[in-house]
Amino acid sequence: MNAKEILIKYWGYSSFQNKQEEIINNVIENKDVLAVLPTAAGKSLCYQIPTLMREGICLVISPLISLMHDQLNYLSSKGIKSVSIINSLNYNRIDEIFNKCKYGGIKFLFLSPERLNNKLVKEHLSKLNINLITVDEAHCISEWGHQFRPSYRTISKIRNIIPNASVLALTATATENVISDIRKNLNFKVNVLIKSSIERKNISFIVYNNKYKENKLLSLVNKIKSPIIIYAGTRREVARISLFLQNKKIPAVYYHAGISLDKRNKIQQEWYKNQKRIIVATNAFGMGINKKDVKLIIHMDMPINIETYFQQAGRAGRSGEKAYSVIMVNELDIKKQKKLLKLKYPEIEELKEFYQNLSNYLHIAINTLPKEKLLLDIIKFSNRYNISVIKSFNNLKYLEAEEYLELSTFTKNSSKIKLAVDTSTLYRFQIANKYYDMFVKTLLRSYPRLFQEYVEINEEEIAKKINKDIGEIKRSLIYLQKLEIIKYQHINKNHILINFIKERKDNNKLFFDEKKLNDRKKYEQVRLDNMINFCFSNDKCRNNILLEYFNEQAKEPCGKCDLCIKSFKDNDNLFINN
C-alpha cells in the first residue's frame, strides 16, 4: 500500500496535514530529516506510515516510559505489532523481545536513549533489519534546548551499528541553535529540514499580572468546566495548590517526580478518565500527553523560558476547539527566576570543590573509576557540605552535561542487591548458616543474575515466598550486607544513582571550560529576558511575540490574546463562550 492507503486503512483519515506527506516522502527516500511540527500536529504518523510501507523495523528512541506505553497501546489497537525495552527488564526478557523482533513480525521497537549504552542491546540491534531510526523529542539532544538529556548524545553512535538506516528527528519546539545542534549531533548526511508554523490558532494566550493569584485561579477553574492542567514551580507548591482547590470543593490531584511511579500512573489515569478534572503538576508532567478535551492550561509561576512554556501551553486545545493558556505573574516571579538561574550555574572554583566533595563522599580515590553505579542520598550529602539541595542537583546536572558522570532516575522506589562473593564462598556460607540457606536459595531462584549485576528486588514478594514477615526480610538483607555476602541498596526518593564516566581527577587536572559556562549563563539569561518580555509586554500581540521568538514572521494581531482585546474591562470575558 502507498502512504495514502495506509493512512485511510489504519487511521481513517482521507488526507495528510501539516507537511506530514512531505516528511513521509523524504523518509521513504532514505534521507535524514528533521521535522519541526507544532504540538497536536500528528508527528507520530511521520514514522509510522513509512515503516508500514517497507520491510523492516523502526527503532523509536523516546525519553519517557509513559510515552512508549501510549504509542504501544495505540499501535496495538490498530493491530500493529510493537514492543519496548524499559530499564526494569532483565536479560532473559530482553533476549525474548529481540527474538520477537527477528521472527515475530514486529514493526516498532521503542527504547529509551539510556538503553543504547547497554552492550547486549547494541549487539542485538546490529542483527535486526532496522530501516529507520526515529528520535522523538529531539530537542533533548541539544545543550541549548530546554530539556537537554546527555544520554541523547549516544544516539549518533548507533548509526555506526545500523549504517543503512536513515534518521527522522521530531520536535515541536526548536530555535535555530537547537536545530543546528540536532543535525550536528545526529550526524545528518543530508540536511533536510521540514518546518511547519508553530502557531496554534485556537489557543488564546493570556497573562494576568496580579498579587493574589489564588482568587483569579478560583475564578478561572469555575468558568472552565473541562479538564485543566495547572503548573507550579515546586513540589511543595503543587501540593499546596491542590489542597487549596480541594478545600474549595473543587476536585484536584497533584503530580510530581517525588511520587512513586505506580501512584503517578494512577493519578494520570484518573485525570485521563475525567475522574479528576484538575491536575496540579510540576514540569515532570505532560511530555507526550495527548488528551484532546483540555481547554485550559494555567501557569501559577512564570516559566523559565518560552520553549518550556509553549510546549506546556500546547497541551490545551488538541481537539482543535478554542482553548486558553493563562500565566499568573507579578514582580516576585522575576526575582524568583533570576535567583533560580543563579543557582543553576556555579562558579568554576565552586564546581571544582563540589566535584571533590562528591568524590570524597562516595569514597572514590584519585585516578580511579568506579566499576559500578554509586548511590547518593542528595539530602544527606547537601547537609554534610552545607549546600542547598537545589544547588547540589544543579551541580550534578552540570557535571553530567560535561560528561564527567551520568545520573539515573528510578522508575519506582525499590531496592537492589548484588552478590559480593563467588559461588563457592556463598555455598560455604549456606552450609555454615542453615538459617539463611532457604533465604539465599529463594534469592537465587527469583533473581538469577545476582552474581553479575545489581538487580531490583521486591521484599514483599520474597516474604510471601518463604512465609516470613517483611521486616525480617529487610533485617536479613542488612545482616548479609554486614557480613559482605551481598551489596544491598534501598532506594528512596532522595537517592540518585551516579555512574562515573571518567576517572576521578585531582584539582590541578580538573578542567571546566569557563567560556562555555559563561556562554550558557548568558544564553539562559537571554531566554529568561524573552520570557519576561512576553509576560510584561503591554503593546504587542502575544501570539506574534511567540512567532518571532521561533523565527517566524509576525502576522496580523491574533484578536484573541489579552492584549489584543484589552479594551475589555474584565479579561474574564475571554471565557464568555464557556
Side-chain angles (χ1 to χ4, degrees):
M1 292 186 290
N2 62 33
K4 182 70 72 69
E5 289 167 340
I6 290 173
L7 180 71
I8 294 168
K9 177 180 177 180
Y10 288 101
W11 284 273
Y13 300 134
S14 58
S15 62
F16 290 103
Q17 60 175 352
N18 288 320
K19 303 199 174 182
Q20 288 172 325
E21 192 167 19
E22 183 183 352
I23 295 166
I24 289 166
N25 289 338
N26 276 275
V27 170
I28 289 295
E29 293 173 10
N30 285 321
K31 294 178 182 177
D32 293 335
V33 178
L34 170 55
V36 183
L37 300 179
T39 51
K43 289 187 286 292
S44 56
L45 284 178
C46 297
Y47 68 81
Q48 290 167 348
I49 287 179
T51 299
L52 294 175
M53 292 172 67
R54 301 184 289 181
E55 291 292 323
I57 294 171
C58 175
L59 172 63
V60 185
I61 299 164
S62 184
L64 290 177
I65 292 172
S66 58
L67 283 176
M68 297 185 208
H69 283 169
D70 289 346
Q71 286 298 317
L72 284 170
N73 292 337
Y74 187 76
L75 290 166
S76 177
S77 72
K78 305 290 182 186
I80 300 166
K81 293 183 179 181
S82 309
V83 291
S84 68
I85 295 177
I86 56 177
N87 291 337
S88 58
L89 296 180
N90 61 39
Y91 277 70
N92 290 336
R93 180 68 181 129
I94 290 172
D95 281 337
E96 183 183 322
I97 287 173
F98 274 111
N99 281 331
K100 277 187 179 180
C101 290
K102 289 176 188 174
Y103 311 114
I106 299 296
K107 292 301 294 180
F108 297 93
L109 168 61
F110 291 83
L111 284 176
S112 68
E114 289 79 10
R115 273 293 180 181
L116 298 176
N117 285 321
N118 185 288
K119 186 177 178 181
L120 178 65
V121 168
K122 287 192 282 191
E123 286 177 3
H124 278 299
L125 287 175
S126 67
K127 298 172 185 175
L128 295 182
N129 178 21
I130 294 173
N131 57 37
L132 177 64
I133 302 169
T134 297
V135 183
D136 201 10
E137 307 293 345
H139 56 271
C140 293
I141 205 169
S142 174
E143 289 184 64
W144 309 110
H146 62 291
Q147 292 174 314
F148 174 53
R149 282 176 63 157
S151 56
Y152 263 65
R153 295 292 180 92
T154 63
I155 298 172
S156 60
K157 298 173 185 175
I158 298 301
R159 302 206 69 175
N160 298 325
I161 298 171
I162 318 166
N164 297 323
S166 60
V167 172
L168 170 62
L170 298 167
T171 182
T173 51
T175 60
E176 290 302 315
N177 281 336
V178 173
I179 287 170
S180 175
D181 226 12
I182 291 171
R183 288 166 157 175
K184 177 183 174 183
N185 283 286
L186 289 177
N187 293 335
F188 269 32
K189 296 167 186 172
V190 179
N191 286 330
V192 177
L193 171 64
I194 300 174
K195 188 177 180 182
S196 179
S197 173
I198 57 101
E199 186 176 18
R200 294 292 303 278
K201 294 181 180 179
N202 63 319
I203 297 180
S204 295
F205 297 99
I206 301 155
V207 178
Y208 289 117
N209 190 339
N210 52 8
K211 186 175 180 181
Y212 303 104
K213 297 181 180 183
E214 281 80 5
N215 292 339
K216 181 60 69 175
L217 174 66
L218 279 178
S219 171
L220 296 177
V221 299
N222 283 319
K223 284 180 180 291
I224 297 286
K225 301 300 182 183
S226 61
I228 295 169
I229 304 174
I230 301 171
Y231 283 105
T234 66
R235 297 176 184 183
R236 183 181 295 176
E237 271 295 285
V238 298
R240 185 190 68 78
I241 293 166
S242 176
L243 182 61
F244 168 77
L245 292 172
Q246 291 169 21
N247 288 338
K248 299 293 183 182
K249 309 300 181 188
I250 297 170
V253 289
Y254 66 89
Y255 182 110
H256 59 68
I259 299 171
S260 70
L261 180 64
D262 290 342
K263 190 172 180 181
R264 274 183 280 156
N265 287 338
K266 182 175 181 292
I267 291 166
Q268 188 167 316
Q269 285 306 309
E270 286 177 347
W271 180 73
Y272 255 117
K273 295 174 182 177
N274 293 330
Q275 295 166 353
K276 300 290 184 182
R277 184 168 69 91
I278 298 172
I279 190 163
V280 189
T282 62
N283 59 13
F285 176 78
M287 189 181 280
I289 292 298
N290 192 23
K291 186 168 167 59
K292 295 189 181 299
D293 55 351
V294 178
K295 278 196 172 182
L296 175 61
I297 307 289
I298 300 174
H299 284 82
M300 295 298 290
D301 303 292
M302 184 177 71
I304 189 75
N305 55 59
I306 285 180
E307 292 96 325
T308 298
Y309 165 66
F310 188 70
Q311 188 179 57
Q312 291 170 346
R315 286 157 195 156
R318 296 203 169 196
S319 65
E321 296 179 8
K322 192 173 184 181
Y324 309 90
S325 170
V326 172
I327 306 178
M328 308 276 198
V329 294
N330 55 45
E331 294 296 330
L332 290 176
D333 285 273
I334 298 176
K335 293 179 181 178
K336 185 192 298 184
Q337 291 295 7
K338 285 184 176 178
K339 183 180 177 181
L340 288 173
L341 188 57
K342 191 174 180 181
L343 287 171
K344 187 173 181 180
Y345 290 102
E347 299 298 324
I348 292 293
E349 290 306 313
E350 183 184 6
L351 191 61
K352 286 184 176 182
E353 182 182 2
F354 178 87
Y355 174 86
Q356 299 301 346
N357 288 340
L358 177 69
S359 301
N360 291 336
Y361 187 83
L362 296 173
H363 307 294
I364 304 169
I366 290 172
N367 298 326
T368 61
L369 179 66
K371 294 180 180 178
E372 297 167 343
K373 294 180 180 180
L374 303 173
L375 200 63
L376 176 73
D377 187 317
I378 194 167
I379 291 180
K380 287 183 179 179
F381 170 79
S382 300
N383 288 340
R384 176 178 293 188
Y385 294 101
N386 195 26
I387 182 174
S388 73
V389 173
I390 293 174
K391 200 162 187 63
S392 288
F393 185 73
N394 285 335
N395 287 348
L396 286 170
K397 294 297 288 183
Y398 195 86
L399 289 172
E400 183 178 41
E402 289 296 292
E403 299 183 349
Y404 279 88
L405 50 80
E406 290 176 335
L407 305 177
S408 297
T409 55
F410 299 101
T411 55
K412 55 189 175 182
N413 291 343
S414 61
S415 299
K416 289 187 175 187
I417 63 171
K418 179 185 177 184
L419 283 163
V421 296
D422 57 25
T423 53
S424 59
T425 305
L426 182 63
Y427 179 71
R428 288 196 299 272
F429 172 80
Q430 289 174 258
I431 295 295
N433 297 271
K434 291 293 184 184
Y435 178 80
Y436 291 99
D437 183 47
M438 180 54 67
F439 181 63
V440 171
K441 285 178 178 175
T442 302
L443 291 177
L444 291 171
R445 282 196 296 266
S446 303
Y447 309 104
R449 290 194 63 83
L450 283 175
F451 285 103
Q452 288 83 22
E453 62 184 356
Y454 275 102
V455 176
E456 283 190 5
I457 64 167
N458 187 316
E459 289 99 331
E460 192 173 342
E461 287 181 3
I462 296 169
K464 288 177 182 177
K465 286 180 181 179
I466 59 176
N467 197 26
K468 297 284 185 181
D469 178 77
I470 190 169
E472 187 173 346
I473 297 300
K474 289 182 178 180
R475 286 191 294 273
S476 296
L477 289 167
I478 291 168
Y479 180 69
L480 290 176
Q481 179 173 243
K482 285 181 179 178
L483 294 177
E484 298 185 349
I485 299 298
I486 66 169
K487 294 180 180 180
Y488 178 40
Q489 295 180 344
H490 180 65
I491 310 300
N492 65 43
K493 62 184 179 181
N494 302 328
H495 284 149
I496 295 174
L497 206 55
I498 300 178
N499 179 36
F500 277 76
I501 301 170
K502 299 174 182 176
E503 291 181 351
R504 179 189 172 176
K505 298 182 184 299
D506 200 358
N507 242 20
N508 58 1
K509 294 182 180 177
L510 191 60
F511 174 75
F512 295 104
D513 190 330
E514 190 166 7
K515 181 181 183 303
K516 188 176 181 182
L517 178 68
N518 289 330
D519 286 347
R520 285 182 186 172
K521 283 183 185 178
K522 289 175 185 175
Y523 182 70
E524 290 282 2
Q525 184 61 58
V526 169
R527 295 207 297 177
L528 177 56
D529 290 342
N530 279 309
M531 190 73 239
I532 293 169
N533 175 60
F534 176 82
C535 290
F536 291 89
S537 176
N538 289 314
D539 57 0
K540 190 171 184 178
C541 167
R542 297 202 195 276
N543 188 60
N544 278 340
I545 295 174
L546 292 172
L547 288 174
E548 288 175 355
Y549 181 80
F550 289 106
N551 301 302
E552 290 191 37
Q553 191 170 353
K555 301 181 179 180
E556 289 294 316
C558 70
K560 58 185 182 295
C561 73
D562 59 301
L563 294 180
C564 283
I565 50 176
K566 61 185 176 183
S567 58
F568 286 173
K569 290 181 181 179
D570 181 0
N571 279 353
D572 281 353
N573 285 326
L574 291 167
F575 300 96
I576 198 167
N577 296 325
N578 292 280

